[in-house]
Structure formats: C-alpha cells, structure tokens
Amino acid sequence: MELQSVLSEFSPANGALGLVIVALLLTVLLGVKIVPQSQEYVVTRLGRYARTLGAGVGWIIPLVERVHARISIADQVLRDTDLGVVSKDNAVFRLQLLVVYRVVKPELAVFRIDNVRELVRGLVDSLVRAEVGRIELDALQSEREALNIAIREKLAQAGADYGVLISRAEVTGVTLEASTQADMAEVLAAERSRRATETRAAGDKRATELAADAALYRAQREAEAARITADATAYANRVIGEAIAANGVEPAQFQIAERQIAALTALASSSNAKLIMLPGDAADGFTRAAAILSGEGLARSVALPAAAPQPPSVVGPPPGPWGGTEPDAAAQP
C-alpha cells in the first residue's frame, strides 16, 4: 500500500516539473558569470563576438554563448626594453625605456592580434627609432621631455587600432659607445672654447664702448668747463672795462702792482732762491702802489724824478711816504 502511494505521487506531470526546475538551476549556475574588477570577459555566441562583460555579475546563455577570453584591463609594464638607435648625426647608442600600457577594448585585443605584449614591443621598437633619428645626440638630453611626448603620442595613435592604450613611454637611460663618448668630449670642449671666445669678445667690445663713452663725456665736460671759463673771463673783462671807464686806470694799476709785490715776496721766500734777477720795471710796482695809496696820480708817480739826497736837518718834519723826510722849504738853499 505504501509503495503504491509513493509511486502514485510521481506522476508524469510532476516529473516534467522537476526536470524544468533542474534545467533552470543548471542554466542559472552555468549562465551567471562574476567578473573581477581588473578584468573583462569577451563573450561569443556560436563562435561570433557578442558582447563584453564588465566587472560585476554578468549573464550568458548556456550552450549558446560562452566566455571566449578573460582580458586583464590593468596597466602592464615593459621594463626590459633596450634599443639600439642611430641619431640624426649618425651617432650609435642604446636607449633604455619604460613603457606602460593597458587594454581598453578587449574585443579588438582578442580578435585583431594574437599577443598584445609583442605588439607593444614591436611598436616601441619601430616608433622610438624613427623619433630618435630626427634629433641629434647633443639635443637628446636637453630635449628628452619633448622626445618622450612625441614617442607617447605616436605609440598612442598606433595602439588605438588594436584596443591598446600606451599611457607612458619614458627614456630612462642612454648608453654610449666608447668612440661616441670620445667624440662628444671633443665636441663639448670645442663648444666651451667657442663660448669662452665669444664671452671675451663681448667683454672687450663692452669695455671699448664704455671707454669711448667716458672719453666723450670727458671731452664734453672739458668743453663745457672751457666755455664757462671763457664766459667768466669775458664777464670779468667787461666788469674791469666798465670800472676803468668809470674810475680811471689807477685801480687796475694798483692791482697789477699788488700782484707784482706778492710774486716777488713768494719768490724771495723760497728756500731754493739764491740769485734773483728782475726785469727793469718789476721794482716799479712798489712805487706805483705807494703813489696810488697816497692819492697821487700814476703819471706823477712815474714822472717824478729821483731827488738828490739831502742832509737831514736837526729838527725836521715827519718822514714822508717814501721812507725819507720831506724837504723843508726853509732849509732849501
């Protein structure tokens, strides 16, 4: 009785329902795909590309669709890139590069190329050699940043056709041959010598310009001083002429006599003066000065004849302006 009751429960309808449930469970288990954060899944349907599953939970149709490739979208690094290159001036040397790339379109990286890493290595080899061949070896160090930018742009354009983004391409080292190093040393020495020569020439030119400017300034100042002196002399002569016209020649003659006396005094006080020879009219300065100070005319002082020596009187008048005594009218014969 119990066996019959159990068999009666497993009717054909219940068996079909069970099969459906089992099929659904298998479909869920086989169709659900959990994609990691750093990967993307390329899905094909009956051998043809269907779609790309991103990070998270994805769904495929079992037995119809399948995951064709699991592609890493993280950055990949090429550290062992060592290239032999030739510069524009035919210098042979080796370059060490650091290249960073990643896959941005997995479907292109899967169906258009077989090996992404080899593709990137080949692009680096060809494009770096082409860019380095456009510059000279001397400019490699000074223009390294510009060279890195040019290489990066060329690699980015070439990798975009294959779904690969080359984000970094840096020249990390330069290895020169011994002969190339010797040639560079000679070039650098010649360049330093040329710069030193140009610097000395520029310094000499500047010194000459400054000396010429100084001479010109000195000549201008001397000419200005001469003009001022001439103006002062002309003004002094004009003032003297006006004074002579107003007061006569006696003040001017007094000034001349005073200067003659000062010159004779300075000459006589010199320690080296042993014998002094004077012109005939030099001693007349004393006579002229005394005549002007006494109020007499210059003509009288000049035309006054020399008086004969007179015997001194017992009681005489006070001494005159010439150092002697005035002759007494009563004592004259």
Side-chain angles (χ1 to χ4, degrees), residues 138-174:
D138 296 338
L140 179 62
Q141 297 295 336
S142 60
E143 300 180 2
R144 178 175 293 189
E145 184 61 26
L147 176 63
N148 291 334
I149 294 175
I151 292 174
R152 193 180 309 133
E153 291 177 352
K154 295 294 184 181
L155 290 175
Q157 294 174 1
D161 296 335
Y162 302 94
V164 179
L165 174 62
I166 302 175
S167 57
R168 304 293 296 177
E170 304 288 339
V171 177
T172 59
V174 179

Side-chain angles (χ1 to χ4, degrees), residues 225-237:
R227 182 180 59 80
I228 294 174
T229 302
D231 293 342
T233 302
Y235 176 76
N237 292 335

Side-chain angles (χ1 to χ4, degrees), residues 13 23 33 35 39 55 58 60 65 85 92 94 97 173-174 179 206-208 228 236 251 281 283 287:
K33 300 297 180 182
V35 183
Q39 291 184 355
I60 64 173
E65 296 179 344
V85 296
V92 180
R94 303 194 67 83
L97 295 99
V174 179
S179 58
R206 184 57 181 167
T208 303
I228 294 174
D281 59 347
T287 304

Side-chain angles (χ1 to χ4, degrees), residues 28 81 117 121 128 158 175 186 248 255:
V28 170
T81 305
R117 193 176 187 86
R121 190 182 299 277
V128 168
T175 304
E186 294 181 0
Q255 291 290 332

Side-chain angles (χ1 to χ4, degrees), residues 240-304:
I240 292 172
E242 294 176 354
I244 291 175
N247 302 317
V249 298
E250 286 80 4
Q253 292 174 344
F254 176 75
Q255 291 290 332
I256 296 173
E258 187 178 21
R259 292 186 180 182
Q260 288 180 345
I261 294 171
L264 291 174
T265 302
L267 186 61
S269 62
S270 175
S271 60
N272 297 326
K274 302 301 181 182
L275 178 62
I276 302 175
M277 300 183 66
L278 301 176
D281 59 347
D284 293 340
F286 299 96
T287 304
R288 296 190 185 96
I292 295 172
L293 290 175
S294 63
E296 299 177 357
L298 180 61
R300 179 180 176 183
S301 65
V302 174
L304 182 64

Side-chain angles (χ1 to χ4, degrees), residues 60-237:
I60 64 173
I61 303 175
L63 303 178
V64 177
E65 296 179 344
R66 73 183 185 91
V67 176
H68 181 80
R70 294 172 172 84
I71 303 300
S72 174
I73 59 174
D75 288 341
Q76 305 294 323
V77 181
L78 289 178
R79 293 189 178 90
D80 56 347
T81 305
D82 189 357
L83 301 178
V85 296
V86 180
S87 63
K88 184 178 180 180
D89 52 350
N90 296 325
V92 180
F93 54 95
R94 303 194 67 83
L95 285 182
Q96 292 78 39
L97 295 99
L98 173 66
V99 181
V100 180
Y101 70 93
R102 62 187 176 91
V103 177
V104 293
K105 293 182 178 181
E107 62 274 12
L108 296 180
V110 170
F111 295 109
R112 296 197 63 175
I113 56 176
D114 183 32
N115 192 319
V116 176
R117 193 176 187 86
E118 292 299 325
L119 169 69
V120 174
R121 190 182 299 277
L123 293 176
V124 169
D125 290 348
S126 60
L127 295 179
V128 168
R129 286 191 175 95
E131 290 298 325
V132 173
R134 298 178 181 178
I135 64 174
E136 296 182 355
L137 179 59
D138 296 338
L140 179 62
Q141 297 295 336
S142 60
E143 300 180 2
R144 178 175 293 189
E145 184 61 26
L147 176 63
N148 291 334
I149 294 175
I151 292 174
R152 193 180 309 133
E153 291 177 352
K154 295 294 184 181
L155 290 175
Q157 294 174 1
D161 296 335
Y162 302 94
V164 179
L165 174 62
I166 302 175
S167 57
R168 304 293 296 177
E170 304 288 339
V171 177
T172 59
V174 179
T175 304
L176 302 178
E177 302 292 339
S179 58
T180 305
Q181 292 181 354
D183 295 339
M184 287 188 63
E186 294 181 0
V187 172
L188 290 176
E191 180 65 19
R192 293 191 186 97
S193 177
R194 182 185 64 81
R195 292 180 180 179
T197 303
E198 291 179 354
T199 302
R200 286 193 296 268
D204 295 340
K205 177 182 177 182
R206 184 57 181 167
T208 303
E209 292 176 352
L210 292 176
D213 293 341
L216 178 60
Y217 179 76
R218 185 183 302 109
Q220 291 175 349
R221 300 300 294 177
E222 289 177 354
E224 184 177 357
R227 182 180 59 80
I228 294 174
T229 302
D231 293 342
T233 302
Y235 176 76
N237 292 335

